């Protein structure tokens, strides 16, 4: 838009007109401010201009301050650096700031929000100037604000922009500041929220966001602030329940924490109690559905308790749908209950209009007359009228609608106003109880910012009559202005305040994506009961007790964490733990693919003396102190961890930290020890020249390798001398031949020579020797032919490559048939060995298993493993950069071989027959190149078609909104149908095939109460000209094969998707053929869902709350 257009627009709006290049003088304060300081939309507390004349510019000090002036109850001054504020030359700029004059004297916690313009102008011609403007929240930590590079000095000393004089003339200039101190009614204007304390500022705390759960957080805060609701939730007995399995207890705990905590509260326990695994929590659900499901759940739990009936008392209202004849006295009506009201936004200017639209009366006249029972065709009025509204009224604004053209949900951002107070009397039936006025006050606004595919939710709530409006935005709670409650959430076009033509070009009208989608109103007559102050006794004592105990435990843990640096962890290996250890060294500490050994552990103060610590250890293991010695384990250069020396007993001042620093590794946080039990305390010392060796036994028959204690031997004795000692210890026949191996390090296990001495074999304290019975060649051959290991070298190789993999079902809930289990595999194993071992565990043919790897971060499926690649386990689990302790692989049990699956497409088709009932499901495995009509042919041979019927089958998907079929033409290739897909097939009825040009074929779907709560499978149906609906119904009943008893409970509605109208229910005398069917108009059958297959909205999963 051109500048002149802007001016014209100003004229049209009757505003003052200022030509774009009109010259403004610095001394014309109002005009100057109007030109250079945009209106930020906040109330101005005080506006001041202060000017300061300077001469001899080049002789000025490096930093100077002006005299002080007052504005908005604060003292200010100009801070000027005539040659710039940068430490490094060149000194070629001017720096100028607005400075808060005396921050030290200001009261603690002071702040001031100011908008300002700093100007340097010519002393003789005030129309020559340089100006910059800004706004800032001045606080103790940031008490000056302005421009380090305000202007280059040379530009100030030379004429610019067609002027004949410079700004600084003869070294003189005027420095001015225009200041607007703004009102800050909420106290948080332009706040950076560093160290912001919600509890201190507002008395309330926020809820942490678990990822896309802010829709839940905003609703929970609204329910929490409805104190009658909170009281009722507290009355549900939960003493013996567990928070992650009980929704009421988890909700009580969230409410109690909101009440008592000074930090934001977590909701993971609550979502766990809903049975949501982390992935569900991240699906943004519809808040209305979430609210309903939660309330249904609580209502069930409240039955038979003090709280019974609370939800109905709070949220339940009644409405009547009617048809009333105009000329005769006849009315047919039905009364229904509601928990919330869904109001149209599209085409409505405000809430009052939405209500009028909801109760708008439709005239049935002309061709559309009503067939009244026993009276014949009549002009009639059809509509809905309210009989009562609940004390707490939840209004859902229909911001999300289904768009037929896009076959998708879209968000409607139209402007829609709502008031702080609304009188709903005019929407009530004349028979309603009017003993108290039906005036409602706004209590909460739930807001969505963003589009359909995400965005952010927050809540604005007025907790009671006295408290101001607050914004609950996940973990932060802040005060807000009335404008932030109403105007900013109406939606529609927004202009940022009033904008002068100068700034017009910067601030364009912007479509606002932030708007209200749910409103909570409370009846004025009920406010004192609904929001009655909370008393101590309203909180159940058991909850308080339980949570106080937990808080103490948390504080103790926190203290422990804070004092962690004062402590060491000592881990003690004993002969018992060694006997249980299957792995390298004496215990596992830092292995990447294997969990560490579970060892006796002591938390020890670093400055505790060794003798005190030794006493504790002796008492723990029930030994006299004189009978034990502790050895320190060290990390050898070859990456093994072995006992090195025993701790000296005769140094009274030796501390535990001293032991670690001098004898182990200073960087290590734990001290690793071996408990050496001396068999005869009278002879505590071993003979001089002896060494301590640890023994391990490799048992070929059991395929195990375990520790069997230690021996002391003389360095000079021969390795072979160990054999009789081992035979005796193992109680084997004397002379049993053995083979001895030294465990040098992983990958280096060497056969020892029995004739060499220990010194010649380079054996030292803490070394490990592994033995096995020496087997004849034939036995070795037999063992190896079974795929088993015949010597320790092979077994150690397995240990080096072993990994623990956790297998869990990909789609099914974990149970006996689909267990979760761990297997130990070698990285050298391949896909076939892995699937064989999994098949063995599951008792399922390995060729009929399919595996999917997972993302290490959240366990979600990553990619399906191809059997044809036959990768090694190392490749399957490889490169995880987040190396988890265990790798998770998902499995599926297939009905077919994986080999076939890799060239074929597996599909399941739900068969709904001729009567639109899911009769059976048929799995198919067909080449990916097959057509959909091949699929129909295969299906025809498996299902029972009606004798004498059409013999034709229709294959279809269901549209995202669950209302229509999306039929395949038959020539699509099944390999090209996108995954995942739900396919249905039905027999095409004779009636449809024989329909002539005069007939209309329409879509019919099933729903329950709300049009969005669809269930079952949609179908096609023929509508005949001139047929009354009473006759149409009979054909419908025959089409879906429902009994008279059940069919009597059905209601029928015409759904006009395009107009977003409430469904209009059809009476027996209507002729639906006469309705001008747009392609997307459908007939809805409203009845209770017995199929168990609820759909919700566009491709969303229904919310399920378990607990």
């Amino acid at each position: 838009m051109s500048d002149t257009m802007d001016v014209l627009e100003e004229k049209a709006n009757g505003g003052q007109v200022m030509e774009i290049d009109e010259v403004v003088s610095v001394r014309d304060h109002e005009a100057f401010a109007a030109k250079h300081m945009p209106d930020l939309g906040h109330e101005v507390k005080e506006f001041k201009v202060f000017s300061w004349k300077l001469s001899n510019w080049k002789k000025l000090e490096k930093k100077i301050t002006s005299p002080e002036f007052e504005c908005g109850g604060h003292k200010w001054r100009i801070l000027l650096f005539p040659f710039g504020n940068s430490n490094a030359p060149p000194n070629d700029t001017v720096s100028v700031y607005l400075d808060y004059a005396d921050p030290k004297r200001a009261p603690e916690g002071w702040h001031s929000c100011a908008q300002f313009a700093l100007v340097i102008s010519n002393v003789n011609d005030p129309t020559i100037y340089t100006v910059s403007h800004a706004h800032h929240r001045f606080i103790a930590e940031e008490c000056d604000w302005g421009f380090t590079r305000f202007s280059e000095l040379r530009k100030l000393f030379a004429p610019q922009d067609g002027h004949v004089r410079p700004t600084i003339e003869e070294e003189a200039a005027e420095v001015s500041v225009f200041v607007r101190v703004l009102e800050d009614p909420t106290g948080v204007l332009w706040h950076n929220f560093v160290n912001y304390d919600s509890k201190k500022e507002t008395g309330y705390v926020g809820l942490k966001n678990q990822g896309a759960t802010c829709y839940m957080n905003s609703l929970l805060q609204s329910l929490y602030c409805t104190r009658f609701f909170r009281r009722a939730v507290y009355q549900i007995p939960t003493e013996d329940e567990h928070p992650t399995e009980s929704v009421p207890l988890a909700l009580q705990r969230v409410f109690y924490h909101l009440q008592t905590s000074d930090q934001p509260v977590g909701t993971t326990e609550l979502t766990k109690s809903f049975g949501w695994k982390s992935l569900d929590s991240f699906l943004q659900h519809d808040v209305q559905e979430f609210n309903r499901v939660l309330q249904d759940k609580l209502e069930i739990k409240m039955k038979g308790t003090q709280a019974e009936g609370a939800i109905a008392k709070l949220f339940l209202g009644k409405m009547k749908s009617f048809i009333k004849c105009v000329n005769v006295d006849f009315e047919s009506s039905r009364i229904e209950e509601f928990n919330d009201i869904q109001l149209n936004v599209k085409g409505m200017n405000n809430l009052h209009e939405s209500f009028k639209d909801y109760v708008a009366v439709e005239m049935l006249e002309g061709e559309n007359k009503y067939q009244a029972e026993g009276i014949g065709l009549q002009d009639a009025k059809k509509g809905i009228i309210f009989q009562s509204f609940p004390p707490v009224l939840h209004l859902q604004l229909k911001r999300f609608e289904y768009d037929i053209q896009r076959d998708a949900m879209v968000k409607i951002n139209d402007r829609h106003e709502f008031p702080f107070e609304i009188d709903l009397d005019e929407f009530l039936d004349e028979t309603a109880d009017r003993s108290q006025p039906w005036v409602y006050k706004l209590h909460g606004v739930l807001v969505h910012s963003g589009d359909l595919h995400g965005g952010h939710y927050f809540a604005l709530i007025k907790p009671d009559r006295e408290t101001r409006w607050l914004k609950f935005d996940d973990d932060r709670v802040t005060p807000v202005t009335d404008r932030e409650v109403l105007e900013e959430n109406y939606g529609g076009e927004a202009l940022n305040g009033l904008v002068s033509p100068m700034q017009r070009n910067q601030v364009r009208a912007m479509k606002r994506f932030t708007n209200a989608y749910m409103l909570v109103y409370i009846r004025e007559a009920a406010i004192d009961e609904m929001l009655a102050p909370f008393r101590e006794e309203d909180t159940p004592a058991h909850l308080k007790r339980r949570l106080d105990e937990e808080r103490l435990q948390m504080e103790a843990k926190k203290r422990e964490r804070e004092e962690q640096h004062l402590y060491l962890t000592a881990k003690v290996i004993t002969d018992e733990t060694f006997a249980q250890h299957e792995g390298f060294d004496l215990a596992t500490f830092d292995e990447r693919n294997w969990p560490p050994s579970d060892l006796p552990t002591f938390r020890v103060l670093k400055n505790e003396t060794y003798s005190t610590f030794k006493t504790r250890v002796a008492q723990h293991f029930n030994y006299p102190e004189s009978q034990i010695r502790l050895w320190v384990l060290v990390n050898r250069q070859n990456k093994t961890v072995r006992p090195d020396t025993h701790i000296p007993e005769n140094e009274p001042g030796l501390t535990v930290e001293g032991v670690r620093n001098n004898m182990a590794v200073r960087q290590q946080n734990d001290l690793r020890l071996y408990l050496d039990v001396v068999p005869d305390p009278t002879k505590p010392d071993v003979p001089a020249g002896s060494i301590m060796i640890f023994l391990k036994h490799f048992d070929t028959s059991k395929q195990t390798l375990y520790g069997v204690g230690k021996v002391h031997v003389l360095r000079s004795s021969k390795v072979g001398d160990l054999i009789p000692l081992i035979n005796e210890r193992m109680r084997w026949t004397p002379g049993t031949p053995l083979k001895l191996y030294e465990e040098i390090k992983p990958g280096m296990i060497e056969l020892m020579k029995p004739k060499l001495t220990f010194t010649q074999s380079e054996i030292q304290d803490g070394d490990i020797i592994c033995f096995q019975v020496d087997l004849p060649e034939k036995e070795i051959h037999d063992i190896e032919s079974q795929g088993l290991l015949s010597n320790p070298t092979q077994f150690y190789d397995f240990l080096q490559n072993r990994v623990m993999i956790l297998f869990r079902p990909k789609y099914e809930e974990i149970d006996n048939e689909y267990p979760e289990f761990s297997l130990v595999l070698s990285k050298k194993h391949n896909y076939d060995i892995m699937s064989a071992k999994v098949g063995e565990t599951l008792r399922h043919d390995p060729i009929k298993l399919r595996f999917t790897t997972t993302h290490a971060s959240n366990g979600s499926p990553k990619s399906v493993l191809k059997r044809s690649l036959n990768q090694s386990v190392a490749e399957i689990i490889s490169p995880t950069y987040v190396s988890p302790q265990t790798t998770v692989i998902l499995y599926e049990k297939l009905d077919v071989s994986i080999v076939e699956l890799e060239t074929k497409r597996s599909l399941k088709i739900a068969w709904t027959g001729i009567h639109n009932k899911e009769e059976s499901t048929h799995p198919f495995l067909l080449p990916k190149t097959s057509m959909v009509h091949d699929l129909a042919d295969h299906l025809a041979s498996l299902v029972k078609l009606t004798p004498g019927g059409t013999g034709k089958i229709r294959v279809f998907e269901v549209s995202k909104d669950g209302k229509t079929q999306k039929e395949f033409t038959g020539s699509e290739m099944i390999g090209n149908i996108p995954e995942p897909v739900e396919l249905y097939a039905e027999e095409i009825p004779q009636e449809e095939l024989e329909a002539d040009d005069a007939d209309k074929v329409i879509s019919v779907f099933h729903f329950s109460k709300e049009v969005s709560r669809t269930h079952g499978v949609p179908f096609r149906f023929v509508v005949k000209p001139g047929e009354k609906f009473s006759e149409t119904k009979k054909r419908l009943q025959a089409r879906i094969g429902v009994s008279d008893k059940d069919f009597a409970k059905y209601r029928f509605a015409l759904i006009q998707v395009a107009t977003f109208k409430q469904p209009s229910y059809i009476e027996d005398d209507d002729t639906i053929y006469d309705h001008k069917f747009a392609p997307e108009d459908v007939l809805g059958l409203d009845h209770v869902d017995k199929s168990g297959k609820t759909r919700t909205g566009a491709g969303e999963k229904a919310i399920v709350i378990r607990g």
Side-chain angles (χ1 to χ4, degrees):
M1 191 160 61
S2 72
D3 293 342
T4 49
M5 278 291 288
D6 270 348
V7 173
L8 287 173
E9 195 173 307
E10 280 291 309
K11 277 184 177 157
N13 295 339
Q16 73 180 80
V17 178
M18 187 184 289
E19 287 303 328
I20 292 308
D21 48 5
E22 198 175 307
V23 178
V24 181
S25 156
V26 174
R27 295 189 187 144
D28 183 349
H29 295 167
E30 293 300 329
F32 189 88
K35 179 170 180 175
H36 292 291
M37 296 169 76
D39 183 346
L40 300 175
H42 299 285
E43 205 180 316
V44 178
K45 188 174 185 180
E46 193 177 359
F47 172 55
K48 269 276 176 75
V49 182
F50 172 78
S51 298
W52 179 32
K53 282 201 176 79
L54 293 168
S55 50
N56 293 327
W57 191 281
K58 289 183 178 162
K59 294 201 174 83
L60 292 172
E61 299 284 324
K62 278 187 179 169
K63 170 183 174 181
I64 54 175
T65 52
S66 75
E68 293 177 8
F69 64 94
E70 194 169 304
C71 179
H74 298 275
K75 288 205 164 101
W76 308 88
R77 59 188 181 182
I78 298 169
L79 173 61
L80 176 74
F81 294 82
F83 313 103
N85 183 23
S86 76
N87 300 330
N91 299 326
D92 60 353
T93 59
V94 172
S95 306
V96 60
Y97 307 89
L98 175 61
D99 186 27
Y100 191 90
D102 194 356
K104 290 198 171 66
R105 291 238 180 95
E108 198 190 339
W110 69 272
H111 80 277
S112 176
C113 295
Q115 180 191 16
F116 59 93
L118 286 157
V119 197
I120 299 180
S121 59
N122 183 298
V123 176
N124 306 307
D125 182 349
T127 64
I128 299 172
Y129 56 81
T130 300
V131 60
S132 280
H133 80 269
H135 63 265
H136 181 60
R137 181 185 179 92
F138 288 83
I139 52 174
E141 294 77 20
E142 289 177 352
C143 52
D144 59 56
W145 203 254
F147 309 95
T148 303
R149 303 191 66 79
F150 178 78
S151 173
E152 290 179 52
L153 265 173
R154 62 180 181 78
K155 286 187 176 171
L156 296 174
F157 276 98
Q160 303 287 323
D161 303 334
H163 293 298
V164 288
R165 311 169 78 157
T167 306
I168 302 178
E169 192 174 32
E170 296 174 353
E171 293 201 41
E174 189 165 75
V175 182
S176 308
V177 64
F178 288 65
V179 182
R180 284 183 190 142
V181 171
L182 303 178
E183 294 286 3
D184 178 13
T186 61
V188 291
L189 182 60
W190 306 330
H191 203 304
N192 62 10
F193 295 110
V194 174
N195 302 325
Y196 177 78
D197 183 339
S198 294
K199 184 80 167 198
K200 187 172 149 201
E201 301 298 334
T202 65
Y204 289 81
V205 294
L207 287 164
K208 293 177 195 162
N209 187 350
Q210 280 188 62
T213 56
C214 38
Y215 72 90
M216 175 178 86
N217 290 355
S218 54
L219 181 75
L220 289 176
Q221 289 282 19
S222 160
L223 292 171
Y224 168 77
C225 290
T226 311
R227 294 179 191 153
F228 191 95
F229 178 82
R230 195 193 327 167
R231 259 190 206 91
V233 168
Y234 278 162
Q235 286 170 347
I236 305 172
T238 54
E239 284 90 331
D240 309 322
E241 298 188 357
H242 196 275
T244 54
E245 286 152 20
S246 155
V247 173
L249 177 57
L251 191 58
Q252 287 174 353
R253 289 165 68 95
V254 168
F255 283 178
Y256 184 80
H257 284 310
L258 284 173
Q259 222 167 279
T260 57
S261 171
D262 51 10
Q263 294 300 318
V265 175
T267 55
T268 26
E269 260 184 9
L270 184 63
T271 51
K272 274 190 184 147
S273 76
F274 296 162
W276 294 1
K277 303 290 186 292
S278 60
L279 201 64
D280 281 321
S281 326
F282 300 109
L283 284 173
Q284 290 205 351
H285 288 302
D286 164 10
V287 82
Q288 177 195 12
E289 188 193 357
F290 171 71
N291 189 14
R292 257 193 210 161
V293 176
L294 178 64
Q295 290 189 14
D296 290 350
K297 194 79 193 162
L298 292 171
E299 211 162 8
I300 295 164
K301 299 281 186 179
M302 287 176 177
K303 282 215 165 72
T305 75
Q306 248 182 307
E308 184 166 354
I311 291 205
K313 177 176 167 131
L314 275 165
F315 304 117
L316 204 66
K318 287 186 176 154
M319 59 169 97
K320 176 171 87 171
S321 45
F322 64 86
I323 294 181
K324 189 172 187 173
C325 294
V326 176
N327 305 316
V328 294
D329 185 14
F330 179 86
E331 180 175 343
S332 136
S333 65
R334 177 166 50 252
I335 289 174
E336 291 176 40
E337 296 179 332
F338 64 87
N339 274 49
D340 52 21
I341 305 172
Q342 284 194 304
L343 297 171
N344 284 325
V345 168
K346 205 174 179 62
M348 305 293 148
N349 290 319
N350 54 42
L351 195 62
H352 189 258
E353 281 187 24
S354 296
F355 265 106
K356 280 178 85 161
D357 167 68
Y358 198 91
V359 299
V361 171
E362 186 187 343
M363 287 304 297
L364 304 178
E365 54 196 1
E367 289 184 0
N368 199 14
K369 283 190 175 180
Y370 171 60
Q371 176 79 33
E373 213 172 302
I375 307 175
L377 290 171
Q378 292 289 336
D379 289 350
K381 294 176 175 179
K382 175 180 177 187
I384 288 174
I385 188 83
F386 289 97
Q387 296 219 305
S388 66
F389 292 107
V392 179
L393 183 58
H394 281 179
L395 302 176
Q396 307 286 345
L397 303 181
K398 287 161 95 171
R399 289 276 180 198
F400 299 99
E401 296 274 21
Y402 176 69
D403 180 333
I404 191 73
Q405 266 70 41
R406 303 187 202 168
D407 185 22
M409 300 296 278
V410 292
K411 183 171 179 203
I412 291 161
N413 289 304
D414 299 5
R415 183 176 175 89
H416 181 266
E417 299 177 6
F418 49 89
F420 276 135
E421 178 176 308
I422 188 167
D423 188 344
L424 299 177
D425 192 290
E426 65 179 282
F427 308 113
L428 283 163
D429 197 358
E430 61 259 23
T431 60
D433 173 1
R434 286 181 166 77
S435 53
Q436 286 181 315
W438 290 95
V439 172
Y440 278 76
K441 295 273 199 194
L442 187 62
H443 166 69
V445 182
L446 273 60
V447 180
H448 177 260
S449 175
D451 63 9
L452 180 81
H453 302 294
H456 183 61
Y457 294 81
F458 58 87
L460 301 155
I461 300 169
K462 188 173 185 341
D464 52 45
R465 287 185 198 270
E466 288 70 45
T467 310
R468 66 177 309 145
W469 279 92
L470 299 173
K471 176 180 183 178
F472 292 80
D473 188 350
D474 282 342
D475 49 12
R476 187 186 297 152
V477 186
T478 51
V480 285
T481 59
D482 288 0
R483 178 192 162 84
E484 286 172 274
V485 178
L486 301 182
E487 176 64 42
E488 293 191 6
N489 300 307
Y490 288 159
E493 307 288 329
L495 269 171
N496 182 2
L498 307 168
V499 183
S500 79
M502 299 292 168
Q503 286 108 22
R504 242 320 142 65
N505 295 338
Q506 307 155 16
V507 190
R508 279 280 157 254
M510 216 179 73
K511 191 83 171 161
R512 279 203 293 200
F513 296 109
T514 300
N515 37 52
Y517 67 94
M518 178 173 156
L519 304 173
V520 182
Y521 279 90
I522 298 185
R523 190 176 180 185
E524 191 172 19
I527 288 181
D528 295 337
E529 182 186 5
M530 293 298 126
L531 304 180
F534 230 73
R535 304 180 310 255
E536 178 77 20
E537 59 269 29
D538 291 331
T539 310
H542 74 89
L543 192 65
K544 199 170 171 319
R545 203 168 44 246
R546 194 159 164 173
L547 289 162
D548 288 347
E549 279 166 22
E550 282 174 27
R551 191 158 50 233
L552 291 174
Q553 284 168 2
M554 294 271 290
E555 282 164 9
K557 272 193 183 142
K558 187 175 164 207
R559 229 180 2 262
E560 196 173 299
R561 275 199 306 279
E562 285 165 357
E563 294 170 358
Q564 193 56 48
H565 63 286
L566 304 173
Y567 286 86
L568 266 181
T569 305
K571 294 185 169 176
V572 181
I573 296 172
T574 64
D575 288 342
E576 287 72 28
T577 67
F578 181 46
Q580 298 297 311
H581 172 61
E582 184 166 45
F584 293 99
D585 295 332
L586 306 184
T588 306
F589 291 105
D590 307 313
E591 233 182 283
R592 192 171 157 207
N593 291 311
W594 207 254
S597 304
D598 185 14
L599 298 173
T601 303
F602 298 83
R603 188 164 181 255
V604 199
L605 268 170
K606 288 179 182 175
N607 57 11
E608 185 172 304
T609 60
Y610 170 64
S611 58
T612 311
F613 171 62
K614 186 183 168 186
T615 310
R616 272 170 66 191
V617 174
Q619 284 169 350
H620 178 87
F621 291 108
N622 275 332
Y623 286 112
E625 269 180 72
S626 57
Q627 210 180 334
I628 63 166
R629 286 191 303 187
L630 290 167
W631 292 64
V632 178
L633 273 75
V634 297
N635 293 5
R636 292 186 180 176
Q637 271 171 327
N638 67 4
K639 301 275 196 314
T640 58
V641 185
R642 302 288 169 84
D644 184 53
T645 44
H646 63 77
I647 302 170
E649 309 278 337
N650 47 10
E651 293 181 26
L654 182 64
T655 64
V656 177
E657 187 173 29
V659 170
R660 183 196 60 184
N661 294 351
N662 304 333
M663 303 177 72
V665 187
R666 195 177 279 251
Q667 289 75 17
Q668 233 167 253
N669 223 352
D670 55 0
L671 181 60
R672 299 160 181 185
L673 304 169
Y674 166 66
L675 178 74
D676 179 11
V677 180
V678 185
D680 184 353
T682 55
K683 301 179 196 153
D685 292 328
V686 290
S690 66
I691 48 178
M692 177 170 73
I693 294 170
F694 289 85
L695 299 173
K696 288 183 183 175
H697 170 216
F698 174 59
D699 185 333
T700 42
S701 58
K702 292 183 184 157
Q703 295 281 294
T704 55
L705 174 85
Y706 285 120
V708 285
K710 61 171 185 300
V711 289
H712 289 95
V713 293
L714 290 169
R715 291 174 195 274
S716 53
S717 59
K718 289 198 169 63
V719 170
D721 297 347
L722 269 179
I723 294 175
L725 276 171
I726 292 169
N727 277 332
E728 188 183 333
R729 182 168 293 190
M730 300 303 288
R731 302 206 173 120
W732 287 339
T733 316
T736 303
L738 304 178
K739 273 185 171 171
L740 304 176
Y741 296 80
E742 186 192 352
E743 180 189 314
I744 301 168
K745 64 176 187 183
M748 204 168 171
I749 313 299
E750 291 187 352
L751 187 60
M752 299 182 75
K753 298 192 170 105
K755 297 216 168 97
L756 296 182
T757 65
F758 288 105
T759 306
Q760 288 165 323
S761 306
E762 297 182 4
I763 297 293
Q764 63 187 64
D765 268 328
D767 278 348
I768 297 170
I769 291 177
C770 171
F771 61 88
Q772 79 172 117
V773 175
D774 193 358
L775 300 171
E777 278 301 317
K778 184 182 176 311
E779 250 183 83
I780 292 175
H781 180 74
D782 289 350
I783 288 169
E784 290 180 353
S785 65
Q786 293 173 54
L788 301 175
L789 310 173
S790 66
N791 63 48
T793 312
Q794 295 169 351
F795 193 83
Y796 276 111
D797 180 67
F798 165 70
L799 290 180
Q800 201 176 347
N801 288 292
R802 70 181 168 176
V803 283
M804 173 101 63
I805 297 184
L806 184 65
F807 290 90
R808 59 168 69 119
K810 185 168 180 179
Y811 298 117
E812 288 74 16
E813 285 289 318
I814 293 167
D815 59 18
N816 292 344
E817 199 186 338
Y818 287 93
E820 177 178 273
F821 56 93
S822 298
L823 288 180
V824 177
L825 298 169
S826 163
K827 286 187 206 164
K828 292 182 175 177
H829 284 156
N830 58 16
Y831 178 98
D832 285 342
I833 294 177
M834 176 179 88
S835 69
K837 286 187 179 279
V838 173
E840 205 176 300
T841 309
L842 291 172
R843 298 199 175 90
H844 192 85
D845 183 349
I847 202 81
K848 291 185 177 174
L849 287 170
R850 178 160 64 170
F851 300 100
T852 306
T853 57
T854 56
H855 290 280
S857 50
N858 60 6
S860 61
K862 189 171 169 186
S863 55
V864 173
L865 292 177
K866 285 202 160 49
R867 174 182 179 269
S868 49
L869 298 174
N870 201 13
Q871 293 167 294
S872 67
V873 169
E875 289 168 316
I876 290 170
I877 68 170
S878 77
T880 47
Y881 302 109
V882 213
S883 66
Q885 286 275 303
T886 48
T887 303
V888 177
I889 292 183
L890 308 173
Y891 68 84
E892 296 164 81
K893 294 183 186 180
L894 308 173
D895 306 325
V896 295
S897 137
I898 182 126
V899 184
E900 279 194 81
L901 204 57
E902 288 179 4
T903 56
K904 295 183 176 178
R905 173 82 190 261
S906 165
L907 290 166
K908 277 190 177 153
I909 296 199
W911 172 246
T912 61
I914 189 90
H915 289 311
N916 186 241
K917 287 188 177 45
E918 290 196 41
E919 296 175 8
S920 52
T921 303
H922 300 275
F924 288 98
L925 187 70
L926 295 169
K928 290 180 178 172
T929 51
S930 311
M931 305 285 180
V932 171
H933 64 73
D934 299 328
L935 195 59
D937 295 345
H938 282 284
L939 186 63
S941 62
L942 298 173
V943 296
K944 203 170 165 195
L945 295 170
T946 316
T950 62
K952 292 199 177 327
I953 286 179
R954 172 189 293 126
V955 179
F956 61 94
E957 276 185 275
V958 173
S959 64
K960 287 202 186 87
D961 63 350
K963 294 186 178 64
T964 54
Q965 297 184 348
K966 290 164 80 175
E967 188 176 349
F968 290 99
T969 61
S971 56
E972 296 87 348
M973 261 194 337
I974 65 169
N976 296 340
I977 299 175
E979 287 263 23
V981 66
E982 277 192 68
L983 293 181
Y984 296 88
E986 64 177 2
E987 181 179 343
I988 299 178
Q990 202 84 40
E991 191 171 59
E992 190 183 325
L993 215 56
E994 291 167 359
D996 58 27
D997 292 348
D999 295 335
K1000 290 180 182 175
V1001 179
I1002 63 165
S1003 289
V1004 187
F1005 76 103
H1006 307 267
F1007 71 98
S1008 179
K1009 291 186 184 157
E1010 285 289 333
V1011 177
S1012 57
R1013 302 180 87 167
T1014 57
H1015 56 88
V1017 182
F1019 60 96
R1020 305 255 172 102
F1021 181 67
V1022 178
V1023 178
K1024 297 191 173 294
E1027 180 181 71
K1028 287 276 174 268
F1029 193 62
S1030 50
E1031 292 305 309
T1032 312
K1033 267 191 345 194
K1034 289 176 186 163
R1035 289 192 304 107
L1036 255 176
Q1037 183 177 358
R1039 170 76 172 87
I1040 57 175
V1042 173
S1043 69
D1044 290 348
K1045 183 180 169 213
D1046 283 346
F1047 200 66
K1049 296 176 189 158
Y1050 279 45
R1051 298 169 65 202
F1052 307 91
L1054 203 56
I1055 315 293
Q1056 291 166 271
V1057 180
T1059 60
F1060 301 116
K1061 270 278 197 299
Q1062 288 292 332
S1064 46
Y1065 282 91
I1066 302 165
E1067 300 300 325
D1068 282 1
D1069 294 341
D1070 296 341
T1071 306
I1072 58 171
Y1073 183 90
D1074 297 344
H1075 170 73
K1076 292 179 178 54
F1077 271 90
E1080 57 272 11
D1081 290 355
V1082 289
L1083 176 63
L1085 309 185
D1086 179 356
H1087 61 100
V1088 176
D1089 173 18
K1090 292 185 177 170
S1091 68
K1093 291 202 68 157
T1094 309
R1095 305 166 184 283
T1096 39
E1100 258 195 21
K1101 281 168 75 174
I1103 296 184
V1104 179
I1105 294 183
R1106 186 191 64 186

